[in-house]
């Protein structure tokens, strides 16, 4: 049986290299990603300023060094969804890339312990929330994805009397990643984190409003 923090731990172990400090964690490293359905790779390449002529095979475990060296992104295509790491996916970006009937999911976490899951469709934010504080959610339909959250736990309960009721931050992040898998109908571990996909270099300044190159 997989642990409740499985996806968080897998993502951390995939991104970390032996050159990183032993005290480094996902919050310190930071992680930003976007998944888009309905827009082709050519369209996203223009939006995120990716030079498709530089495309080369790459595992997610290799992207950190390439991102530091030349700003490359890890780009994966699974089940009609295209994932890009790193790719800032704030509300403005999500609205922009989903215009015309597309869908997008954005996920980010940073050194200040800010995390955000966002789902947009057709230029509108449907739901957005912090996985560690899911009640503070907003969007046109803040409960639109609740049907997909069975068994997932997001909120951090530091006062739980029963240890089994305690939701740690790593579990909240794992739950957010699991939700991405359910929305995209993919296996986050096998299809994304551990699969062989591509790295693509940057071409020019990003065209999507608010998009900024960051280390994943």
């Amino acid at each position: 049986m997989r642990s409740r923090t499985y996806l968080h731990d897998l993502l951390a172990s995939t991104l970390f290299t032996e050159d990183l400090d032993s005290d480094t964690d996902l919050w310190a490293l930071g992680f930003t990603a976007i998944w888009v359905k309905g827009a082709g790779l050519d369209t996203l390449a223009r939006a995120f300023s990716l030079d498709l002529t530089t495309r080369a095979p790459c595992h997610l475990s290799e992207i950190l060094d390439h991102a530091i060296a030349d700003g490359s992104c890890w780009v994966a295509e699974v089940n009609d969804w295209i994932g890009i790491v790193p790719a800032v996916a704030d509300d403005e970006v999500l609205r922009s890339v989903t215009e015309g009937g597309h869908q997008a999911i954005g996920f980010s976490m940073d050194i200040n312990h800010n995390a955000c899951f966002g789902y947009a469709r057709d230029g509108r934010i449907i739901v957005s929330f912090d996985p560690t504080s899911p009640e503070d959610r907003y969007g046109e339909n803040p409960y639109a994805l609740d049907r997909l959250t069975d068994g997932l736990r997001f909120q951090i309960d530091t006062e739980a009397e029963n240890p089994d009721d305690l939701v740690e931050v790593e579990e909240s992040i794992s739950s957010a990643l699991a939700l991405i898998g359910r929305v995209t109908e993919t296996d986050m571990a096998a299809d994304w984190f551990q699969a062989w996909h591509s790295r693509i270099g940057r071409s020019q300044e990003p065209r999507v409003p608010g998009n900024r190159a960051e280390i994943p």
Side-chain angles (χ1 to χ4, degrees):
M1 181 178 178
R2 290 177 174 176
S3 73
R4 291 175 173 174
T5 64
Y6 171 70
L7 288 176
H8 167 277
D9 298 341
L10 177 62
L11 179 59
S13 63
T14 299
L15 287 175
F16 288 178
T17 69
E18 59 184 12
D19 296 329
L20 291 176
D21 188 278
S22 60
D23 293 331
T24 302
D25 59 20
L26 268 178
W27 295 100
L29 183 63
F31 181 78
T32 62
I34 191 170
W35 288 261
V36 183
K37 181 177 183 179
L41 184 55
D42 287 344
T43 297
L44 293 180
R46 290 191 296 271
F48 289 92
S49 296
L50 302 176
D51 182 356
L52 296 182
T53 65
T54 66
R55 188 173 188 174
C58 182
H59 280 108
L60 182 60
S61 59
E62 303 169 316
I63 195 56
L64 182 59
D65 288 339
H66 290 292
I68 293 174
D70 59 16
S72 293
C73 293
W74 184 74
V75 180
E77 299 176 77
V78 183
N79 197 24
D80 296 327
W81 288 83
I82 297 176
I84 303 175
V85 178
V88 173
D90 55 25
D91 287 357
E92 189 177 7
V93 173
L94 290 176
R95 292 190 187 99
S96 177
V97 299
T98 58
E99 290 180 353
H102 306 154
Q103 299 179 62
I105 302 167
F107 178 73
S108 64
M109 50 193 297
D110 64 27
I111 196 171
N112 295 316
H113 283 205
N114 298 310
C116 185
F117 172 100
Y119 171 69
R121 184 175 60 238
D122 199 19
R124 307 186 311 275
I125 302 298
I126 304 302
V127 56
S128 182
F129 66 93
D130 179 341
T132 66
S133 182
E135 294 307 313
D136 298 328
R137 62 178 80 182
Y138 64 91
E140 289 194 4
N141 186 356
Y143 301 96
L145 301 181
D146 282 11
R147 59 186 175 79
L148 299 176
T149 60
D150 184 48
L152 302 181
R153 304 196 307 172
F154 296 96
Q155 72 279 3
I156 298 177
D157 185 357
T158 58
E159 299 179 356
E161 295 183 2
N162 186 335
D164 290 336
D165 294 333
L166 176 64
V167 180
E168 299 179 342
V169 63
E170 292 83 4
E171 182 180 354
S172 294
I173 298 303
S174 284
S175 294
L177 295 171
L179 181 56
I180 293 171
R182 293 180 183 185
V183 174
T184 59
E185 299 182 311
T186 60
D187 185 318
M188 291 302 292
D191 293 335
W192 301 98
F193 297 163
Q194 298 173 320
W196 188 254
H197 289 292
S198 303
R199 62 178 170 86
I200 301 177
R202 298 278 185 177
S203 58
Q204 57 185 353
E205 288 301 313
R207 296 185 181 183
V208 173
N211 190 36
R212 304 175 297 279
E214 294 182 359
I215 296 173

